[in-house]
Amino acid sequence: MLKDEDMAVADGGSYDYGLFVIGAGSGGVRGSRTSASFGAKVAICELPFHPISSDWQGGHGGTCVIRGCVPKKILVYGTSFPGEFEDSKNFGWDINGDINFNWKKLLENKTQEIVRLNRVYQRILGNSGVTMIEGAGCLVDSHTVEVAKPDGSKQRYTAKHILIATGSRAQRVNIPGKELAITSDEALSLEELPKHAIILGGGYIAVEFASIWKGMGAEVYLFYRKELPLRGFDDEMRAVVASNLQGRGIRLHPGTNLSDLSKTSDGIKVVTDKGEELIADVVLFATGRTPNSQRLNLEAVGVDVDQIGAIKVDEYSCTSVPNIWAVGYVTNRINLTPVALMEATCFSKTVFGGQPTKPDYRDVPCAVFSIPPLSVVGLSEQQALEEAKSDVLVYTSSFNPMKNSISKRQEKTIMKLVVDSETDRVLGASMCGPDAPEINPGWNSPVCC
Amino acid sequence: MAMATLLSSSAAAVPTLVRALSLRRGGGLLHLRHPLAAASRGPLLRLGLLRPLSASAAGDNGAAAGGEGGRYDYDLFTIGAGSGGMRASRAAASLYGARSAVCEMPFATVASDGLGGVGGTCVLRGCVPKKLLVYASKYSHEFEESHGFGWTYGTDPKHDWNTLITNKNLELQRLVGVQTNMLKNSGVNIIEGRGKIVDPHTVSVGGKLYTAKNILIAVGSRPSMPDIPGIEHVINSDAALDLPSRPEKIAIVGGGYIALEFAGIFNGLNSDVHVFIRQKKVLRGFDEDVRDFVAEQMSLRGITFHNEQTPQAVTKSDDGFLTLETNKGTINGFSHVMFATGRKPNTKNLGLEEVGVKMDRHGAIVVDEFSRTSVDSIWAVGDVTNRVNLTPVALMEGGALAKTIFGNEPTKPDYSAVPSAVFSQPPIGQVGLTEEKAIEEYGDVDVYTSNFRPLRATLSGLLDCVYMKVIVCSNTNKVLGVHMCGEDAPEIIQGIAIAVKAGLTKQNFDATVGVHPTTAEELVTMRSPTRNVRRDTAAKN
């Protein structure tokens, strides 16, 4: 189990560490902790904490904790209340006076929580015996990492194995005026709530922010290139999500791109590729994220990347350099926190646990926290029809949830099962409706097995 | 390609599928054609929740297509159109072509010897209205939670009880109509009135006699009250769901799920709630840790528990307030006293004793594994048989019965790993064995627990916590039981129940990637056991 460490010592030319990790996000922290538990001597470098990431700012916990999953979920909770207040009327509740929303309070409480979690992550690493180094790491050679510290100094560390877990960053579309747009980082920390928000993007981030701002009272316009948002998801579910977004008052602009942003006294003037003009307080680009691999000096060391900059790895997360590994978003496999955690655990088992383990990407569930939310696992109907060897049975149930029978909200819940008619195996399950993300996880074990 | 095959092969095999059962309230399914289905993919036959089945009526025990047709009015006559009765009668008619009738009393919110309603307890005086009241009462907690998320109100939200009860009753009326239509659309004949068995093949309703090859008793149960002085001042759950006004201060006697659910409901609607239980803890039969956890969480929300107290009398004073006397003392000032101390099978006055249907000492009808009573042609399902008194179990029993009698496929209901929930606040979801039962049956078990403050609570600042427990057989690694208490537990436990019933192992759970961020993912990320119980090993050593 300890053979790598022993070998390092026995080699004579011993390394500072058995493992050096660049990036203390989901994958990096899991990889360092588990490797340390196998007896490895581990160090991890991470940029100083800030809610908005940059070349010099990041923080322990990474995107998920600081500017992704966690703050997003907090905002989704916060934005759900007005809908609930509305629903409560027919249950007998009367909110006689004004309902006031203090965005700054929510922002403050959100920041407090991510700061707390950031500290928890540091404590977890400390308790696991991992050495924490603050600064930006990059490769010098296949066994050396150089960390540029906040005070300007640089220090080099040698390691038998290096794990790159630097994640990804939001990208901006290259159109005139793009600097006027914000990304999800800023969106999670806006000083003022927008009254008019334009969102460009069709993925889950765009859809979630559309729901968040709409719930908080903004006029929201969602622009995306395809006919429906959430490309890659089950087509029927995509249509349901779109219909729900509209039902909640979000204006959808399918098949439309933005071509120009400019500043005016009334706000940001947005011109679409159909010639339409709108004014918004905030324009959010949620058009994809790129792997954070540019400043790592990878080419010089021989670590291969693909055309978008994602680090190429084999099934064990090993890069083109035998002792350099990479997990999480920087490898652009399935970009979800639980998957980064799985990749990191498998990495540790392989390298330090003596148990070569490949992450299993089958039937990874995921959720989109729109309002109401969507949760899926396994194959979509389209995928099942393409991949299944026999006929496919599709079971759907579309119903008005009980709560709506009193609240009178016109919003149906849809559940769907896709089944192989010969083996009776459930190939996929999806649901769009309240509590879908909590309900679906229970389905994952049965679908996987 | 695949679609074309599906269409042609299915079309021949399932001519009746379009008429197959819709399993839920207003649940549109089966024949939905989604807008997307037409354009890019061609017509796609959508099948319902039931598998394609042969539509022909079964052999000699069931629906007689030609032969015995004239001898009896019906192949199946069901007394009681609640969950079990409706499922059996509809399945018999629509799946197997049996001539099916059901009798049910006129609708009322409070059940009596002459009043009930299509839909039964679940729809009219149980699960459905209870859940609606739970929804209504949860809002007060949500208003409190919202402050941490930045929301404030000019004046505190106020609740109008009448609006709630009126809307609840409107919904019940609608559901009676829906259920009635479901019966009609399945081809079941509905007869209004109270049924009584005259002989093994005859039921009398309102003086008229109906003969049937098979009789099904599905009359359910009703709240039972102890015979103590002042019991006339006490309300039961039927009445509690339909009170004319909100209780100011209510004593709820009982420690089971009904008592706890009502405690949560009234507490959420700002009543002063006191729960009196005979035992040391609430929810006898549930996992011990869950029993402790839920009581603690409910206390934190303001409910007062009085443990190890047995009610002895209820008195009403001149000012209208009620006093509850127990073996430990007296508390007065209650506007209402509610007893949720159990339910009794509705077997009185059905003619059962005379026709020879055996009952146990609680009055429950005794049945074999196929739900057959001591009289060959008489069957019973649901609460009246007092097996596992849950709607989905009654549905299972009713469905199995129809298969047995008319489908020529003797089918025993399977009671293993039946999940259930308690809609207390916070709610409970559970499936499989409690820790205590697991140790008893398996000896060596590993117990994984998690007790945490969910993300929502760290923002709201409230004291809400979540408790989860996974019990694993240490020899086979099978998950024997899962218990959870906390927000969304009932929704979370449904999928988990599939895994437990399928006999999945802890490895299967661990190999399952979680959905983040949710509460549910905690169930697939419990890495170290909290305790390893080695009763068998200890015994051997």
Side-chain angles (χ1 to χ4, degrees), chain A residues 64 69-70 72-74 77-78 81-82 84-85 87-102 105-106 109-110 113 116 215 228 235-236 239-240 337-339 342 364-367 369 381 385 391-399 402-403 405-406 424 435 437-439 441-446 448-449, chain B residues 2-3 5-6 9 25 27-30 32 34 36 41 44 46-51 128 131-132 135-136 139-140 142-143 145-155 157-160 163-164 167-168 171 174 268-270 455-456 458-459 488 491-492 495-496 498-499 504 508-509 512-520:
Chain A
C64 171
C69 323
V70 174
K72 172 267 294 285
K73 190 81 191 274
I74 291 173
Y77 280 140
F81 288 101
E84 294 297 316
F85 302 155
D87 290 350
S88 75
K89 291 181 182 157
N90 283 335
F91 282 95
W93 288 95
D94 188 9
I95 304 169
N96 232 342
D98 294 324
I99 303 178
N100 299 308
F101 178 56
N102 185 344
K105 176 159 189 202
L106 178 55
N109 288 351
K110 179 270 290 181
E113 176 61 5
R116 186 187 75 86
L228 287 171
D235 286 339
E236 185 170 10
V240 169
T337 289
V339 174
M342 168 175 68
V364 170
C366 75
F369 290 89
E381 186 176 332
L385 288 171
D391 291 348
V392 166
L393 298 177
V394 178
Y395 295 81
T396 57
S397 186
S398 167
F399 58 92
M402 191 196 277
K403 198 167 173 180
S405 63
I406 299 280
D424 207 33
D435 304 321
E438 295 291 354
I439 291 172
W443 286 82
N444 303 341
S445 295
C448 294
C449 307
Chain B
M3 287 179 281
T5 317
L6 180 67
S9 62
R25 65 221 175 266
L29 60 165
L30 301 181
L32 281 183
H34 193 277
L36 268 188
R41 298 166 309 145
L44 183 67
R46 299 302 179 85
L47 306 178
L49 289 172
L50 299 168
R51 305 201 59 205
V128 172
K131 189 88 188 273
L132 294 175
Y135 278 138
Y139 284 110
S140 57
E142 286 189 46
F143 294 138
E145 285 181 302
S146 71
H147 299 314
F149 290 91
W151 296 92
T152 51
Y153 318 95
T155 46
K158 289 195 172 38
H159 186 257
D160 179 60
T163 303
L164 173 60
N167 286 345
K168 181 267 288 178
E171 176 60 8
R174 187 187 74 85
L269 296 175
N270 301 324
L455 180 63
R456 194 177 165 112
T458 51
L459 268 282
D488 299 323
E491 295 291 356
I492 292 173
I496 302 295
I498 302 175
L504 296 186
N508 293 136
F509 272 56
T512 305
V513 180
V515 175
H516 184 69
T518 60
T519 300

Side-chain angles (χ1 to χ4, degrees), chain A residues 180-378:
Chain A
L180 296 171
I182 60 168
T183 68
S184 56
D185 284 15
E186 291 85 9
L188 288 166
S189 292
L190 282 177
E191 278 302 308
E192 297 285 333
L193 255 194
K195 292 199 174 52
H196 293 87
I198 286 176
I199 301 174
L200 176 64
Y204 74 90
I205 297 177
V207 164
E208 287 173 354
F209 273 101
S211 288
I212 288 170
W213 282 332
K214 185 66 209 159
M216 290 174 183
E219 282 306 313
V220 179
Y221 305 83
L222 182 61
F223 290 83
Y224 43 91
R225 277 177 319 178
K226 302 281 175 185
E227 278 315 297
L228 287 171
L230 300 178
R231 184 173 56 118
F233 283 77
D234 181 279
D235 286 339
E236 185 170 10
M237 288 303 172
R238 296 168 71 192
V240 169
V241 168
S243 156
N244 286 339
L245 291 174
Q246 264 184 317
R248 294 258 178 169
I250 294 157
R251 322 270 177 95
L252 301 181
H253 293 263
T256 314
N257 217 332
L258 303 186
S259 52
D260 188 274
L261 304 183
S262 54
K263 197 162 186 174
T264 73
S265 51
D266 296 324
I268 304 170
K269 186 172 92 168
V270 173
V271 181
T272 74
D273 63 357
K274 296 199 165 132
E276 230 189 313
E277 280 180 18
L278 303 99
I279 305 274
D281 312 319
V282 163
V283 176
L284 168 66
F285 282 173
T287 43
R289 295 175 66 86
T290 40
N292 263 337
S293 57
Q294 299 80 12
R295 297 172 62 250
L296 292 170
N297 200 26
L298 298 177
E299 324 74 53
V301 175
V303 173
D304 290 339
V305 298
D306 70 12
Q307 67 273 39
I308 65 159
I311 298 180
K312 291 183 180 179
V313 288
D314 68 9
E315 293 165 305
Y316 294 93
S317 300
C318 192
T319 69
S320 46
V321 176
N323 68 302
I324 301 182
W325 311 76
V327 296
Y329 217 130
V330 77
T331 61
N332 198 33
R333 285 172 286 184
I334 297 185
N335 299 327
L336 295 167
T337 289
V339 174
L341 296 176
M342 168 175 68
E343 289 170 350
T345 305
C346 292
F347 150 79
S348 293
K349 275 188 179 161
T350 299
V351 176
F352 298 104
Q355 262 178 70
T357 314
K358 299 183 208 174
D360 181 355
Y361 295 96
R362 290 170 307 163
D363 302 319
V364 170
C366 75
V368 175
F369 290 89
S370 46
I371 294 171
L374 168 71
S375 188
V376 301
V377 64

